[in-house]
Amino acid sequence: MNRALLDSLFAAGGAADWGWTSYETLTPHMDENAREKAEALCPGAQCVLVCAVPYYAGDAPGNLSLYARGKDYHLVLGDLLNPICEVLHEKYPAYRFVPGVDNSPLPEREAAWAAGIGLRGEHGLVIVPPYGSWVFLGTILTDHPAPPPDRAPSPPCIRCGKCQKVCPGGALRGETFDPERCLSHLTQKKGELPPEQEALLASHPLAWGCDLCQKVCPYNAHPKATGVSTFRDDLVENLTEDMVEGVTNRQFKERYGDRAFAWRGPAVIRRNLALQTSKN
Ligand code: SF4
Ligand code: SF4
C-alpha cells in the first residue's frame, strides 16, 4: 500500500498518527465470536490499518466526560475512514477495505499498540504524546496483504500507578479491568443498579463517563488540543435535570442525536443525575 498517500489521507482527516499490523497479530486478543464477525466482514482478512484522532478541546467545567462533549466520534471518524476506504478500493480494486469505529469486532487498542502507535497505558488506553490519551481510534480491515512492520510495538507508559490509585471503584487492578466497577461503564448501564453500584454513581461528579484515570496521568498534564473542528466547536459540557426531565427518547435524539452520550436515551442520564442529587 502507498505509504505517502495514506499519510496524507489520515493527516487530512485530523489523525495524529496511523499504522498497520497483521490481522493474525490480533486474533489471540479476539474471542471466537469477534473472529467470526471480522472474517464475515472481510473474508481472508490480512491487515488492519489503525489511526488515532485527538479530541482534547480544553477542560471547561461540566458533568460530561470530555470525549462526549463534541460531535459523536462514530460520525466524525466515519467521515474520515469512509473516503479513505473508497480511495483504497479505487487503487486496489481486488481487495476489500472495511472501516470500523468502536463497534468493530477488532481489538482497536491492541491494534494501535501492535502498530507502534503511542504508548501502552496502564489504564488500558493508548497514549499518543503530545495529545495524551485523549484520542479516538479507528480501523480499516482489509484482505490486502500487510506490508512488513516498519515500527516496533508500543512501549509501556512510565507505570507511575496514579491511574490505578485514583480509580474510585477499583476497576483497574494490575493487568485486569473490571467494567462492573468502572464509572464510565456504570453511567451507561441501563436499568436499576445494585446498591454498591448506585453508591459509586452517587458520589461521582459526572452524569456520563469518567475521566479520572486520564486526568491524573502525567502524559495528560498539558495535552495539545485537537485540530479537528468538530471536536472543538459547539460543545455540550453539562446536562441538568431540567434538560432531561420529561424528555422522550425521540426528543432526546432530536436534540442530541449527534452526540456520543445520546445512544442510551435520556433515562440513564436522569437516573445518574437523580442519584447524585439524592446524595447532596
Ligand atoms: S474511567 Fe474512572 S472508574 Fe473507570 S477505570 Fe478510569 S478511573 Fe476507574
Ligand atoms: S497514570 Fe501513570 S501508570 Fe497510569 S497510564 Fe498514566 S503513566 Fe501509566
Side-chain angles (χ1 to χ4, degrees):
M1 275 179 277
N2 185 320
R3 173 84 204 222
L5 172 68
L6 285 162
D7 277 346
S8 69
L9 291 171
F10 279 115
D17 198 5
W18 77 279
W20 67 86
T21 187
S22 70
Y23 173 66
E24 201 182 15
T25 311
L26 301 181
T27 51
H29 305 284
M30 301 164 71
D31 61 21
E32 198 180 325
N33 185 34
R35 286 199 299 272
E36 270 174 19
K37 278 189 184 159
E39 286 154 33
L41 285 169
C42 185
Q46 295 213 44
C47 177
V48 176
L49 310 183
V50 53
C51 67
V53 181
Y55 64 86
Y56 184 79
D59 187 11
N63 65 359
L64 297 176
S65 176
L66 300 189
Y67 86 86
R69 295 181 174 192
K71 192 171 170 189
D72 187 342
Y73 61 99
H74 299 91
L75 305 173
V76 178
L77 268 72
D79 288 345
L80 159 69
L81 295 174
N82 288 326
I84 295 180
C85 288
E86 281 168 24
V87 171
L88 288 171
H89 190 62
E90 265 173 37
K91 203 160 172 50
Y92 307 103
Y95 298 103
R96 282 173 206 257
F97 296 92
V98 184
V101 184
D102 198 30
N103 49 9
S104 135
L106 297 172
E108 295 170 321
R109 296 172 194 176
E110 291 294 344
W113 292 322
I117 291 178
L119 305 161
R120 185 184 278 266
E122 208 156 79
H123 47 23
L125 302 172
V126 179
I127 301 168
V128 185
Y131 299 98
S133 56
W134 312 109
V135 294
F136 296 122
L137 301 175
T139 56
I140 296 175
L141 177 64
T142 175
D143 51 356
H144 189 292
D150 70 342
R151 296 190 216 172
S154 306
C157 65
I158 55 170
R159 294 183 171 145
C160 68
K162 288 185 178 175
C163 51
Q164 307 223 356
K165 274 196 211 100
V166 80
C167 180
L172 299 167
R173 290 199 183 148
E175 300 285 296
T176 62
F177 169 67
D178 180 356
E180 293 302 315
R181 304 194 68 78
C182 173
L183 281 156
S184 187
H185 172 74
L186 297 183
T187 58
Q188 303 179 42
K189 193 171 166 184
K190 273 191 159 175
E192 204 174 321
L193 301 175
E196 65 276 15
Q197 293 187 344
E198 281 195 350
L200 267 177
L201 258 180
S203 57
H204 183 51
L206 299 193
W208 185 265
C210 168
D211 291 332
L212 287 171
C213 55
Q214 297 198 78
K215 286 193 174 171
V216 296
C217 178
Y219 295 100
N220 284 346
H222 305 288
K224 185 172 174 183
T226 180
V228 180
S229 59
T230 38
F231 293 142
R232 269 197 333 248
D233 303 337
D234 189 25
L235 302 182
V236 178
E237 283 138 358
N238 207 51
L239 287 175
T240 62
E241 288 184 302
D242 288 348
M243 291 160 85
V244 288
E245 202 48 58
V247 172
T248 63
N249 281 338
R250 192 173 169 171
Q251 289 166 332
F252 196 66
K253 285 261 149 65
E254 278 167 9
R255 278 178 214 169
Y256 302 116
D258 65 349
R259 305 289 159 159
F261 61 79
W263 72 284
R264 277 298 203 193
V268 288
I269 308 258
R270 267 197 298 269
R271 178 207 58 201
N272 298 346
L273 290 169
L275 279 169
Q276 289 156 3
T277 308
S278 70
K279 166 115 188 297
N280 297 325

